[in-house]
Amino acid sequence: MNMHRLSPDNDTGCEVSSLDPGHALPATALQRLARMWLREDAPQMDWAGAVVGEQTVGARVLLKSTGVLAGLPFVQAIFTELGLCWHWLWPEGGEPRPPCEVGRVWGPARSLLLAERAALNTLAHAGGVATACWRARLLAEARGWPGVLAGTRKTTPGLRLVEKHAMLVGGVSGHRFDLGDLLMLKDNHLAVVGNIAKELLEAARGLREEFPALLIEASGGITEENLPNYLLPCVDIVSMGAFTQSITALDFSMKVDPELGGIPECLAGDTDPIRRQSTF
């Protein structure tokens, strides 16, 4: 059974970003994560899955809370691992109005139920991150602040790629991906090395004089509630760990629907998923 992705229905009325950050995700990383999540959820025989068997069924993916849809490439990787077909009714970055059907998936009943929890958990978490970023971005735009909102390395272990991707979907910068990105000196560096501020003062002055456009970043203890205090003309970047540590996951469910029947002919007849990855 081949996996496919089609463009969303034309009558959804959703707004779609012109930039799809999913194109930058490494296929090998998506595969690795999908396999890890599936193995975590079913490390041994799935007896309930054995009961439903291999008959082909269809299911609807439903969003039940307000937010931004994110994480579709990761969910597709899960579906691919299990040989499922899918069709998204809303695109990455869309803002469906719940309760809303956002997608459909078809395949052997046992495989579809095996994919259910990993797929819904991914959508819920990625959507929560993207929604938090989206709200902060709207707040900054409403105040006319021209700077950049960014995330931090305060990500969930094992989920950094998912959360950084969700930040981009929500309209903020992923910022540093690891310790090697940029130079950042914090309180623990001071405790180990000493007075770094005094040692770097002259260098910082020289850089500011030579590069008047040097970027200034505010970070540390910033939340959605106190964010307006940092949206100042002299601040170029505001980075927030709250984008990943203070989120509310979105509420999704997957419902098997006999009315969906078998795999639609339009899906079964196309065996090239790569060709359809830019159709939103």
Side-chain angles (χ1 to χ4, degrees):
M1 187 178 296
N2 297 301
M3 64 90 170
H4 311 274
R5 170 183 176 183
L6 295 183
S7 59
D9 291 350
N10 295 327
D11 60 352
T12 56
C14 57
E15 297 182 1
V16 183
S17 170
S18 59
L19 176 63
D20 181 0
H23 295 316
L25 293 170
T28 53
L30 292 174
Q31 182 186 64
R32 174 180 55 81
L33 288 171
R35 290 179 175 177
M36 178 179 68
W37 296 334
L38 291 170
R39 188 178 301 113
E40 177 184 66
D41 203 36
Q44 52 190 332
M45 178 65 180
D46 175 20
W47 295 104
V51 172
V52 300
E54 299 291 334
Q55 61 174 315
T56 298
V57 296
R60 303 180 190 274
V61 180
L62 307 173
L63 172 63
K64 299 186 289 183
S65 58
T66 301
V68 177
L69 189 63
L72 301 191
F74 300 92
V75 175
Q76 292 167 186
I78 294 169
F79 291 163
T80 299
E81 279 298 303
L82 297 172
L84 303 176
C85 296
W86 66 86
H87 171 44
W88 296 116
L89 302 175
W90 285 80
E92 187 91 322
E95 301 163 26
R97 296 172 182 82
C100 176
E101 180 183 4
V102 298
R104 299 172 183 178
V105 57
W106 293 265
R110 182 176 65 85
S111 298
L112 193 150
L113 295 180
L114 178 59
E116 178 182 9
R117 184 42 51 200
L120 297 182
N121 286 353
T122 301
L123 288 173
H125 188 72
V129 173
T131 301
C133 295
W134 170 69
R135 286 200 306 262
R137 179 171 58 84
L138 290 182
L139 192 157
E141 290 176 351
R143 290 178 170 265
W145 184 64
V148 175
L149 292 175
T152 70
R153 287 191 302 113
K154 292 181 179 179
T155 54
T156 307
L159 293 181
R160 180 165 292 178
L161 185 61
V162 177
E163 293 176 346
K164 291 291 188 179
H165 170 80
M167 291 176 196
L168 296 177
V169 173
V172 309
S173 169
H175 207 8
R176 294 206 301 168
F177 196 86
D178 56 49
L179 276 172
D181 289 342
L182 304 180
L183 171 64
M184 183 175 289
L185 301 176
K186 304 176 71 173
D187 53 351
N188 283 332
H189 295 92
L190 292 173
V192 174
V193 179
N195 194 341
I196 293 180
K198 182 177 180 180
E199 292 175 11
L200 295 182
L201 180 59
E202 184 177 345
R205 275 188 185 145
L207 287 172
R208 177 63 86 179
E209 291 175 359
E210 187 173 353
F211 305 103
L214 194 68
L215 297 178
I216 305 299
E217 176 179 341
S219 183
I222 303 176
T223 65
E224 184 177 343
E225 289 70 28
N226 64 22
L227 174 60
N229 297 331
Y230 297 88
L231 302 178
L232 305 172
C234 60
V235 175
D236 304 295
I237 303 170
V238 174
S239 57
M240 299 172 56
F243 286 150
T244 52
Q245 295 198 320
S246 302
I247 69 163
T248 299
L250 301 189
D251 187 5
F252 286 90
S253 65
M254 181 183 291
K255 298 296 183 183
V256 173
D257 187 347
E259 292 186 2
L260 291 180
I263 303 172
E265 183 178 350
C266 62
L267 289 176
D270 188 344
T271 59
D272 185 5
I274 303 300
R275 181 169 57 80
R276 294 193 177 274
Q277 288 187 355
S278 60
T279 54
F280 280 152

